[in-house]
Amino acid sequence: MTDGFHLAAGSHGPSPVVLAVFLLGGLVALWCGVSWAFDVRGITTRRSERMRRKNEESWAAMGRLGGSPTFFATPGYLRFLGALMGFAGVILCVVAYALWHLG
């Protein structure tokens, strides 16, 4: 009954579900990573500004008026994360192709 739903690569080859998950995950990671890395439509700068404003509000609520000096809310850091995410997306697409080709 469950012969058509193999999730592990055995003698029958990889499951289409596994291939689809790797390929979809890779494409989504690649698309999001490129959007963040190249600041498509200002997504990175808007996100970093939103993070900085949220940190300032939370620090002001605690009584600290200087703001939070954080490295993680800078556009450069978010662009670096986007580049890593894009690279991971390429790797996932290559893995999906390799599994498809080997199976």
Short mmCIF file of all heavy atoms in Angstrom, two decimals, residues 32-94:
data_model
loop_
_atom_site.label_atom_id
_atom_site.label_comp_id
_atom_site.label_asym_id
_atom_site.label_seq_id
_atom_site.Cartn_x
_atom_site.Cartn_y
_atom_site.Cartn_z
N CYS A 32 15.02 34.36 -2.07
CA CYS A 32 15.09 35.25 -0.90
C CYS A 32 16.51 35.77 -0.69
O CYS A 32 16.71 36.94 -0.36
CB CYS A 32 14.61 34.52 0.35
SG CYS A 32 12.87 34.18 0.37
N GLY A 33 17.50 34.91 -0.87
CA GLY A 33 18.89 35.32 -0.69
C GLY A 33 19.32 36.38 -1.68
O GLY A 33 19.96 37.36 -1.32
N VAL A 34 18.93 36.22 -2.93
CA VAL A 34 19.28 37.23 -3.94
C VAL A 34 18.55 38.53 -3.65
O VAL A 34 19.12 39.62 -3.79
CB VAL A 34 18.96 36.70 -5.36
CG1 VAL A 34 19.01 37.79 -6.40
CG2 VAL A 34 19.93 35.58 -5.71
N SER A 35 17.31 38.44 -3.21
CA SER A 35 16.56 39.66 -2.86
C SER A 35 17.23 40.41 -1.72
O SER A 35 17.31 41.64 -1.74
CB SER A 35 15.13 39.30 -2.46
OG SER A 35 14.44 38.76 -3.55
N TRP A 36 17.70 39.69 -0.71
CA TRP A 36 18.37 40.35 0.41
C TRP A 36 19.75 40.83 0.02
O TRP A 36 20.16 41.93 0.41
CB TRP A 36 18.50 39.39 1.57
CG TRP A 36 17.26 39.21 2.39
CD1 TRP A 36 15.99 39.44 2.01
CD2 TRP A 36 17.20 38.74 3.74
NE1 TRP A 36 15.12 39.12 3.03
CE2 TRP A 36 15.85 38.70 4.09
CE3 TRP A 36 18.16 38.33 4.65
CZ2 TRP A 36 15.43 38.28 5.34
CZ3 TRP A 36 17.73 37.90 5.89
CH2 TRP A 36 16.38 37.89 6.24
N ALA A 37 20.50 40.03 -0.73
CA ALA A 37 21.88 40.38 -1.04
C ALA A 37 21.97 41.60 -1.95
O ALA A 37 22.84 42.44 -1.78
CB ALA A 37 22.60 39.19 -1.68
N PHE A 38 21.07 41.71 -2.91
CA PHE A 38 21.11 42.82 -3.84
C PHE A 38 20.11 43.92 -3.51
O PHE A 38 19.93 44.84 -4.30
CB PHE A 38 20.91 42.31 -5.27
CG PHE A 38 22.04 41.46 -5.75
CD1 PHE A 38 21.89 40.10 -5.91
CD2 PHE A 38 23.28 42.02 -6.02
CE1 PHE A 38 22.93 39.31 -6.35
CE2 PHE A 38 24.33 41.24 -6.45
CZ PHE A 38 24.16 39.88 -6.62
N ASP A 39 19.48 43.82 -2.35
CA ASP A 39 18.56 44.85 -1.85
C ASP A 39 17.49 45.18 -2.88
O ASP A 39 17.26 46.34 -3.22
CB ASP A 39 19.33 46.09 -1.44
CG ASP A 39 18.54 46.98 -0.50
OD1 ASP A 39 17.55 46.50 0.06
OD2 ASP A 39 18.92 48.15 -0.33
N VAL A 40 16.82 44.14 -3.38
CA VAL A 40 15.78 44.32 -4.38
C VAL A 40 14.63 45.09 -3.76
O VAL A 40 14.11 44.70 -2.72
CB VAL A 40 15.31 42.95 -4.92
CG1 VAL A 40 14.15 43.10 -5.88
CG2 VAL A 40 16.47 42.23 -5.58
N ARG A 41 14.25 46.18 -4.39
CA ARG A 41 13.17 47.06 -3.95
C ARG A 41 13.34 47.56 -2.52
O ARG A 41 12.38 47.85 -1.82
CB ARG A 41 11.83 46.35 -4.12
CG ARG A 41 11.50 46.07 -5.57
CD ARG A 41 10.24 45.30 -5.76
NE ARG A 41 9.13 45.89 -5.01
CZ ARG A 41 7.95 45.34 -4.91
NH1 ARG A 41 7.71 44.20 -5.49
NH2 ARG A 41 6.99 45.93 -4.24
N GLY A 42 14.57 47.64 -2.04
CA GLY A 42 14.86 48.20 -0.72
C GLY A 42 14.45 47.32 0.44
O GLY A 42 14.28 47.80 1.56
N ILE A 43 14.34 46.02 0.22
CA ILE A 43 13.87 45.12 1.28
C ILE A 43 14.85 45.08 2.46
O ILE A 43 14.44 45.04 3.61
CB ILE A 43 13.60 43.72 0.71
CG1 ILE A 43 12.88 42.85 1.74
CG2 ILE A 43 14.85 43.03 0.26
CD1 ILE A 43 12.37 41.54 1.17
N THR A 44 16.14 45.11 2.16
CA THR A 44 17.14 45.00 3.23
C THR A 44 17.19 46.28 4.06
O THR A 44 17.26 46.22 5.28
CB THR A 44 18.52 44.70 2.62
OG1 THR A 44 18.41 43.52 1.83
CG2 THR A 44 19.55 44.46 3.70
N THR A 45 17.16 47.42 3.41
CA THR A 45 17.23 48.67 4.16
C THR A 45 15.97 48.89 4.99
O THR A 45 16.06 49.35 6.13
CB THR A 45 17.45 49.86 3.21
OG1 THR A 45 16.46 49.84 2.18
CG2 THR A 45 18.82 49.81 2.58
N ARG A 46 14.80 48.54 4.45
CA ARG A 46 13.57 48.66 5.24
C ARG A 46 13.59 47.72 6.44
O ARG A 46 13.19 48.10 7.54
CB ARG A 46 12.35 48.37 4.37
CG ARG A 46 11.97 49.46 3.43
CD ARG A 46 10.57 49.27 2.86
NE ARG A 46 10.28 47.90 2.46
CZ ARG A 46 10.39 47.45 1.23
NH1 ARG A 46 10.79 48.23 0.27
NH2 ARG A 46 10.08 46.18 0.95
N ARG A 47 14.08 46.50 6.23
CA ARG A 47 14.12 45.52 7.32
C ARG A 47 15.10 45.97 8.41
O ARG A 47 14.81 45.86 9.60
CB ARG A 47 14.50 44.15 6.79
CG ARG A 47 14.50 43.08 7.85
CD ARG A 47 14.60 41.71 7.20
NE ARG A 47 14.75 40.66 8.16
CZ ARG A 47 13.75 40.12 8.84
NH1 ARG A 47 12.53 40.53 8.63
NH2 ARG A 47 13.98 39.15 9.71
N SER A 48 16.26 46.48 8.01
CA SER A 48 17.23 46.93 9.01
C SER A 48 16.72 48.14 9.78
O SER A 48 16.93 48.24 11.00
CB SER A 48 18.57 47.24 8.36
OG SER A 48 18.47 48.37 7.53
N GLU A 49 16.02 49.03 9.10
CA GLU A 49 15.44 50.19 9.79
C GLU A 49 14.36 49.75 10.78
O GLU A 49 14.28 50.26 11.89
CB GLU A 49 14.86 51.17 8.76
CG GLU A 49 14.23 52.38 9.36
CD GLU A 49 15.20 53.25 10.14
OE1 GLU A 49 16.40 53.23 9.81
OE2 GLU A 49 14.76 53.93 11.08
N ARG A 50 13.54 48.78 10.37
CA ARG A 50 12.51 48.26 11.27
C ARG A 50 13.12 47.59 12.49
O ARG A 50 12.65 47.77 13.62
CB ARG A 50 11.64 47.28 10.48
CG ARG A 50 10.29 47.07 11.03
CD ARG A 50 9.35 46.30 10.11
NE ARG A 50 9.97 45.20 9.39
CZ ARG A 50 10.02 45.12 8.06
NH1 ARG A 50 9.50 46.07 7.31
NH2 ARG A 50 10.59 44.09 7.48
N MET A 51 14.20 46.84 12.28
CA MET A 51 14.88 46.19 13.41
C MET A 51 15.51 47.22 14.34
O MET A 51 15.42 47.09 15.57
CB MET A 51 15.96 45.24 12.89
CG MET A 51 15.42 44.00 12.23
SD MET A 51 16.66 43.05 11.35
CE MET A 51 17.75 42.56 12.67
N ARG A 52 16.13 48.25 13.77
CA ARG A 52 16.75 49.30 14.59
C ARG A 52 15.70 50.04 15.42
O ARG A 52 15.89 50.29 16.61
CB ARG A 52 17.51 50.28 13.70
CG ARG A 52 18.34 51.29 14.49
CD ARG A 52 18.85 52.39 13.61
NE ARG A 52 17.77 53.11 12.95
CZ ARG A 52 17.02 54.05 13.54
NH1 ARG A 52 17.21 54.34 14.80
NH2 ARG A 52 16.07 54.66 12.87
N ARG A 53 14.56 50.37 14.79
CA ARG A 53 13.49 51.08 15.49
C ARG A 53 12.90 50.22 16.61
O ARG A 53 12.64 50.70 17.71
CB ARG A 53 12.40 51.47 14.50
CG ARG A 53 11.56 52.63 14.95
CD ARG A 53 10.57 53.13 13.91
NE ARG A 53 10.98 52.96 12.53
CZ ARG A 53 10.34 52.17 11.66
NH1 ARG A 53 9.28 51.48 12.03
NH2 ARG A 53 10.75 52.07 10.41
N LYS A 54 12.72 48.93 16.35
CA LYS A 54 12.19 48.03 17.37
C LYS A 54 13.16 47.92 18.54
O LYS A 54 12.74 47.90 19.70
CB LYS A 54 11.94 46.65 16.76
CG LYS A 54 11.30 45.67 17.69
CD LYS A 54 11.03 44.36 17.01
CE LYS A 54 10.48 43.35 18.00
NZ LYS A 54 10.27 42.05 17.40
N ASN A 55 14.46 47.84 18.26
CA ASN A 55 15.46 47.79 19.34
C ASN A 55 15.45 49.07 20.15
O ASN A 55 15.55 49.02 21.38
CB ASN A 55 16.85 47.54 18.77
CG ASN A 55 17.05 46.12 18.32
OD1 ASN A 55 16.33 45.23 18.74
ND2 ASN A 55 18.03 45.92 17.47
N GLU A 56 15.34 50.20 19.48
CA GLU A 56 15.29 51.47 20.22
C GLU A 56 14.07 51.56 21.11
O GLU A 56 14.16 52.04 22.25
CB GLU A 56 15.31 52.65 19.25
CG GLU A 56 16.67 52.95 18.69
CD GLU A 56 16.64 54.17 17.78
OE1 GLU A 56 15.54 54.75 17.56
OE2 GLU A 56 17.72 54.53 17.28
N GLU A 57 12.92 51.10 20.61
CA GLU A 57 11.70 51.13 21.41
C GLU A 57 11.81 50.20 22.62
O GLU A 57 11.38 50.56 23.72
CB GLU A 57 10.50 50.74 20.56
CG GLU A 57 10.11 51.79 19.55
CD GLU A 57 9.05 51.29 18.59
OE1 GLU A 57 8.60 50.13 18.72
OE2 GLU A 57 8.66 52.08 17.70
N SER A 58 12.38 49.03 22.44
CA SER A 58 12.50 48.11 23.57
C SER A 58 13.51 48.63 24.58
O SER A 58 13.32 48.45 25.79
CB SER A 58 12.89 46.71 23.09
OG SER A 58 14.16 46.72 22.50
N TRP A 59 14.59 49.27 24.11
CA TRP A 59 15.55 49.84 25.05
C TRP A 59 14.95 51.04 25.77
O TRP A 59 15.22 51.26 26.95
CB TRP A 59 16.84 50.23 24.33
CG TRP A 59 17.76 49.08 24.15
CD1 TRP A 59 17.47 47.88 23.58
CD2 TRP A 59 19.11 49.01 24.55
NE1 TRP A 59 18.56 47.07 23.60
CE2 TRP A 59 19.59 47.75 24.19
CE3 TRP A 59 19.98 49.91 25.16
CZ2 TRP A 59 20.89 47.35 24.43
CZ3 TRP A 59 21.26 49.52 25.41
CH2 TRP A 59 21.72 48.24 25.05
N ALA A 60 14.14 51.85 25.10
CA ALA A 60 13.50 53.00 25.74
C ALA A 60 12.49 52.53 26.78
O ALA A 60 12.32 53.19 27.81
CB ALA A 60 12.82 53.87 24.69
N ALA A 61 11.83 51.40 26.53
CA ALA A 61 10.88 50.88 27.50
C ALA A 61 11.58 50.42 28.78
O ALA A 61 10.99 50.45 29.86
CB ALA A 61 10.10 49.72 26.89
N MET A 62 12.85 50.03 28.66
CA MET A 62 13.62 49.63 29.84
C MET A 62 14.28 50.82 30.53
O MET A 62 14.92 50.66 31.55
CB MET A 62 14.69 48.61 29.44
CG MET A 62 14.13 47.27 29.04
SD MET A 62 15.41 46.02 28.77
CE MET A 62 16.23 46.64 27.33
N GLY A 63 14.15 52.01 29.95
CA GLY A 63 14.72 53.20 30.56
C GLY A 63 16.07 53.60 30.01
O GLY A 63 16.69 54.55 30.48
N ARG A 64 16.57 52.92 29.02
CA ARG A 64 17.85 53.25 28.39
C ARG A 64 17.57 54.12 27.18
O ARG A 64 16.87 53.72 26.26
CB ARG A 64 18.59 52.00 27.97
CG ARG A 64 18.87 51.08 29.12
CD ARG A 64 19.51 49.81 28.63
NE ARG A 64 19.72 48.90 29.73
CZ ARG A 64 20.03 47.65 29.59
NH1 ARG A 64 20.15 47.13 28.38
NH2 ARG A 64 20.21 46.88 30.64
N LEU A 65 18.11 55.31 27.15
CA LEU A 65 17.79 56.25 26.09
C LEU A 65 18.81 56.28 24.97
O LEU A 65 18.61 56.94 23.97
CB LEU A 65 17.63 57.66 26.68
CG LEU A 65 16.52 57.79 27.71
CD1 LEU A 65 16.49 59.20 28.26
CD2 LEU A 65 15.18 57.44 27.09
N GLY A 66 19.92 55.61 25.12
CA GLY A 66 20.98 55.68 24.11
C GLY A 66 20.71 54.83 22.87
O GLY A 66 21.37 55.00 21.87
N GLY A 67 19.76 53.95 22.91
CA GLY A 67 19.53 53.05 21.79
C GLY A 67 20.43 51.83 21.91
O GLY A 67 21.35 51.78 22.72
N SER A 68 20.18 50.87 21.09
CA SER A 68 20.96 49.64 21.17
C SER A 68 21.98 49.59 20.05
O SER A 68 21.62 49.57 18.89
CB SER A 68 20.04 48.43 21.09
OG SER A 68 19.46 48.37 19.83
N PRO A 69 23.24 49.58 20.39
CA PRO A 69 24.26 49.44 19.35
C PRO A 69 24.38 47.98 18.93
O PRO A 69 25.05 47.19 19.57
CB PRO A 69 25.53 49.93 20.03
CG PRO A 69 25.30 49.64 21.48
CD PRO A 69 23.82 49.76 21.70
N THR A 70 23.70 47.61 17.88
CA THR A 70 23.73 46.22 17.45
C THR A 70 24.24 46.11 16.02
O THR A 70 23.94 46.94 15.17
CB THR A 70 22.34 45.56 17.58
OG1 THR A 70 22.45 44.22 17.15
CG2 THR A 70 21.30 46.27 16.77
N PHE A 71 25.02 45.10 15.79
CA PHE A 71 25.59 44.84 14.47
C PHE A 71 24.58 44.12 13.58
O PHE A 71 24.64 44.22 12.36
CB PHE A 71 26.86 44.00 14.63
CG PHE A 71 27.44 43.53 13.34
CD1 PHE A 71 28.07 44.42 12.49
CD2 PHE A 71 27.36 42.20 12.98
CE1 PHE A 71 28.60 43.99 11.29
CE2 PHE A 71 27.90 41.76 11.78
CZ PHE A 71 28.52 42.66 10.94
N PHE A 72 23.63 43.42 14.19
CA PHE A 72 22.72 42.57 13.45
C PHE A 72 21.61 43.34 12.75
O PHE A 72 20.88 42.76 11.96
CB PHE A 72 22.12 41.52 14.37
CG PHE A 72 23.16 40.69 15.04
CD1 PHE A 72 23.38 40.79 16.40
CD2 PHE A 72 23.94 39.83 14.30
CE1 PHE A 72 24.36 40.02 17.01
CE2 PHE A 72 24.92 39.06 14.90
CZ PHE A 72 25.12 39.16 16.26
N ALA A 73 21.47 44.62 13.00
CA ALA A 73 20.42 45.42 12.35
C ALA A 73 20.98 46.28 11.22
O ALA A 73 20.29 47.17 10.75
CB ALA A 73 19.72 46.29 13.38
N THR A 74 22.19 46.02 10.80
CA THR A 74 22.78 46.82 9.72
C THR A 74 22.45 46.20 8.36
O THR A 74 22.34 44.98 8.24
CB THR A 74 24.30 46.92 9.88
OG1 THR A 74 24.86 45.61 9.83
CG2 THR A 74 24.67 47.59 11.19
N PRO A 75 22.32 47.03 7.35
CA PRO A 75 22.04 46.48 6.01
C PRO A 75 23.18 45.58 5.49
O PRO A 75 22.92 44.61 4.78
CB PRO A 75 21.89 47.72 5.13
CG PRO A 75 21.56 48.83 6.05
CD PRO A 75 22.21 48.49 7.34
N GLY A 76 24.41 45.89 5.86
CA GLY A 76 25.53 45.07 5.41
C GLY A 76 25.45 43.64 5.95
O GLY A 76 25.74 42.68 5.23
N TYR A 77 25.07 43.52 7.20
CA TYR A 77 24.93 42.19 7.79
C TYR A 77 23.80 41.41 7.13
O TYR A 77 23.93 40.22 6.83
CB TYR A 77 24.69 42.31 9.30
CG TYR A 77 24.51 40.98 9.98
CD1 TYR A 77 25.61 40.15 10.20
CD2 TYR A 77 23.26 40.54 10.40
CE1 TYR A 77 25.45 38.92 10.82
CE2 TYR A 77 23.11 39.32 11.01
CZ TYR A 77 24.20 38.51 11.22
OH TYR A 77 24.04 37.30 11.83
N LEU A 78 22.68 42.08 6.87
CA LEU A 78 21.56 41.41 6.22
C LEU A 78 21.90 41.03 4.77
O LEU A 78 21.46 40.00 4.28
CB LEU A 78 20.32 42.29 6.26
CG LEU A 78 19.72 42.51 7.65
CD1 LEU A 78 18.55 43.46 7.58
CD2 LEU A 78 19.30 41.19 8.27
N ARG A 79 22.71 41.84 4.10
CA ARG A 79 23.15 41.48 2.75
C ARG A 79 24.08 40.27 2.79
O ARG A 79 24.03 39.41 1.91
CB ARG A 79 23.85 42.66 2.10
CG ARG A 79 22.89 43.72 1.66
CD ARG A 79 23.61 44.83 0.95
NE ARG A 79 22.64 45.77 0.43
CZ ARG A 79 22.94 46.71 -0.43
NH1 ARG A 79 24.17 46.82 -0.89
NH2 ARG A 79 22.02 47.52 -0.84
N PHE A 80 24.93 40.20 3.81
CA PHE A 80 25.79 39.03 3.98
C PHE A 80 24.96 37.78 4.21
O PHE A 80 25.22 36.72 3.62
CB PHE A 80 26.76 39.27 5.14
CG PHE A 80 27.58 38.08 5.50
CD1 PHE A 80 28.60 37.64 4.65
CD2 PHE A 80 27.34 37.38 6.66
CE1 PHE A 80 29.36 36.54 4.98
CE2 PHE A 80 28.09 36.27 7.00
CZ PHE A 80 29.10 35.85 6.15
N LEU A 81 23.93 37.88 5.05
CA LEU A 81 23.04 36.74 5.27
C LEU A 81 22.31 36.35 3.99
O LEU A 81 22.10 35.17 3.72
CB LEU A 81 22.01 37.07 6.36
CG LEU A 81 22.50 37.05 7.79
CD1 LEU A 81 21.34 37.37 8.73
CD2 LEU A 81 23.11 35.73 8.16
N GLY A 82 21.95 37.34 3.19
CA GLY A 82 21.31 37.05 1.91
C GLY A 82 22.24 36.30 0.97
O GLY A 82 21.82 35.39 0.25
N ALA A 83 23.52 36.69 0.96
CA ALA A 83 24.48 35.98 0.12
C ALA A 83 24.65 34.54 0.58
O ALA A 83 24.70 33.61 -0.25
CB ALA A 83 25.82 36.71 0.14
N LEU A 84 24.70 34.32 1.89
CA LEU A 84 24.78 32.95 2.41
C LEU A 84 23.53 32.15 2.08
O LEU A 84 23.61 30.97 1.72
CB LEU A 84 24.99 32.98 3.92
CG LEU A 84 26.38 33.39 4.41
CD1 LEU A 84 26.41 33.38 5.94
CD2 LEU A 84 27.45 32.48 3.86
N MET A 85 22.38 32.79 2.18
CA MET A 85 21.14 32.10 1.88
C MET A 85 21.06 31.76 0.39
O MET A 85 20.60 30.67 0.02
CB MET A 85 19.94 32.98 2.27
CG MET A 85 18.64 32.26 2.27
SD MET A 85 17.19 33.30 2.65
CE MET A 85 17.73 34.32 3.96
N GLY A 86 21.52 32.65 -0.46
CA GLY A 86 21.54 32.36 -1.89
C GLY A 86 22.47 31.20 -2.22
O GLY A 86 22.15 30.34 -3.04
N PHE A 87 23.63 31.18 -1.57
CA PHE A 87 24.57 30.07 -1.77
C PHE A 87 23.96 28.75 -1.31
O PHE A 87 24.09 27.72 -1.98
CB PHE A 87 25.88 30.36 -1.03
CG PHE A 87 26.91 29.29 -1.19
CD1 PHE A 87 27.54 29.08 -2.41
CD2 PHE A 87 27.24 28.47 -0.12
CE1 PHE A 87 28.49 28.09 -2.56
CE2 PHE A 87 28.19 27.48 -0.26
CZ PHE A 87 28.82 27.28 -1.48
N ALA A 88 23.27 28.77 -0.18
CA ALA A 88 22.61 27.56 0.32
C ALA A 88 21.52 27.11 -0.64
O ALA A 88 21.33 25.90 -0.85
CB ALA A 88 22.02 27.81 1.71
N GLY A 89 20.83 28.05 -1.27
CA GLY A 89 19.82 27.70 -2.25
C GLY A 89 20.42 27.02 -3.47
O GLY A 89 19.86 26.06 -3.99
N VAL A 90 21.57 27.52 -3.92
CA VAL A 90 22.25 26.89 -5.05
C VAL A 90 22.68 25.47 -4.68
O VAL A 90 22.51 24.53 -5.47
CB VAL A 90 23.46 27.74 -5.50
CG1 VAL A 90 24.33 26.98 -6.47
CG2 VAL A 90 22.99 29.04 -6.11
N ILE A 91 23.19 25.30 -3.48
CA ILE A 91 23.62 23.97 -3.03
C ILE A 91 22.42 23.02 -2.98
O ILE A 91 22.52 21.86 -3.42
CB ILE A 91 24.31 24.05 -1.65
CG1 ILE A 91 25.60 24.84 -1.75
CG2 ILE A 91 24.56 22.67 -1.07
CD1 ILE A 91 26.65 24.21 -2.65
N LEU A 92 21.28 23.48 -2.47
CA LEU A 92 20.10 22.61 -2.42
C LEU A 92 19.62 22.24 -3.82
O LEU A 92 19.20 21.10 -4.06
CB LEU A 92 18.97 23.30 -1.65
CG LEU A 92 19.09 23.29 -0.14
CD1 LEU A 92 17.99 24.14 0.48
CD2 LEU A 92 19.02 21.88 0.39
N CYS A 93 19.67 23.17 -4.76
CA CYS A 93 19.29 22.85 -6.15
C CYS A 93 20.25 21.84 -6.76
O CYS A 93 19.83 20.93 -7.49
CB CYS A 93 19.23 24.12 -6.98
SG CYS A 93 17.84 25.19 -6.57
N VAL A 94 21.53 21.98 -6.47
CA VAL A 94 22.52 21.02 -6.99
C VAL A 94 22.29 19.65 -6.38
O VAL A 94 22.38 18.63 -7.08
CB VAL A 94 23.96 21.53 -6.73
CG1 VAL A 94 24.99 20.45 -6.95
CG2 VAL A 94 24.25 22.74 -7.59
#
